[in-house]
Amino acid sequence: MSAARIDLAAIPAQRWRNGAGWTREIAAGPGGEDFDWRLSVAEVEREAPFSAFPGVDRCIVVLSGEGMALHDEAGALVQSLRPLEPWSFAGERALHARLPSGACRDFNVMTRRGAWRGDTAVLRAAAQPGRGDKTLLLAARGRWRIGDAAFGALQGLLLDGDAPPVAPLDAAAALLHVRLCHDRQP
């Protein structure tokens, strides 16, 4: 098992092209604009359309703030996102984010359809996380023990191979568990 330690505070922020927020890319494979998978955290400062990612499946999880409302091109509500509730959608879907209670921070998983699949869960209790070809364990809230090490909020591990057991160290702790798997369909 190989593991890379993640500390979101140490990852430089990149301004969005539309100026509505910032992104911190945790990891991507193989990297660049033509990624097969990408993990990131976004700071959404104001209402804006989502960037289109044709052929990419996405999952979003609000980490802080009150959440956001996603609307379609006609202005109809598609989904209200609440903190720590993953929501998956097709990257080509035209969505516009509205922030009824102000700015928020969200976590994003993107996987190239037909190449990779992603599964995102929020853990709140001790567990033995399932294995992925790549696995991210990221403390969303509170402190966590991941294997033999303690991690604070927005810290964790990106792993190849088996994941170690996890346990919360705070009563209200929440951990993101992301499994990325090669899409091995015939």
Side-chain angles (χ1 to χ4, degrees):
M1 166 182 74
S2 73
R5 192 175 179 99
I6 304 297
D7 185 347
L8 197 68
I11 299 172
Q14 301 170 351
R15 191 76 165 151
W16 294 353
R17 283 178 260 181
N18 67 10
W22 298 84
T23 295
R24 294 177 194 271
E25 185 176 281
I26 295 169
E33 294 289 321
D34 294 326
F35 61 84
D36 283 341
W37 58 269
R38 181 177 186 236
L39 307 170
S40 63
V41 172
E43 307 285 340
V44 186
E45 297 175 333
R46 62 181 171 85
E47 297 180 358
F50 272 32
S51 297
F53 287 94
V56 172
D57 290 323
R58 297 181 67 175
C59 181
I60 187 170
V61 182
V62 173
L63 297 175
S64 63
E66 297 300 313
M68 69 176 78
L70 302 180
H71 295 260
D72 65 16
E73 292 173 297
L77 179 65
V78 172
Q79 183 73 29
S80 291
L81 301 178
R82 293 187 221 6
L84 301 176
E85 293 180 2
W87 186 66
S88 298
F89 61 101
E92 56 271 7
R93 188 170 186 179
L95 294 171
H96 186 93
R98 295 199 176 132
L99 305 172
S101 299
C104 67
R105 173 184 283 167
D106 63 63
F107 172 78
N108 296 277
V109 178
M110 296 186 202
T111 54
R112 178 95 33 219
R113 203 170 298 130
W116 286 78
R117 292 175 288 110
D119 176 51
T120 303
V122 177
L123 305 179
R124 297 179 185 272
Q128 175 60 60
R131 178 192 174 128
D133 293 313
K134 295 276 185 189
T135 302
L136 177 70
L137 300 170
L138 184 70
R141 291 198 181 147
R143 296 175 307 120
W144 280 81
R145 178 156 306 285
I146 302 174
D148 295 330
F151 293 85
L154 303 178
Q155 296 178 335
L157 293 176
L158 180 62
L159 305 133
D160 292 323
D162 292 328
V166 300
L169 299 175
D170 299 321
L175 182 82
L176 294 179
H177 172 220
V178 179
R179 292 183 324 129
L180 299 174
C181 299
H182 289 281
D183 196 346
R184 295 181 175 92
Q185 297 179 11

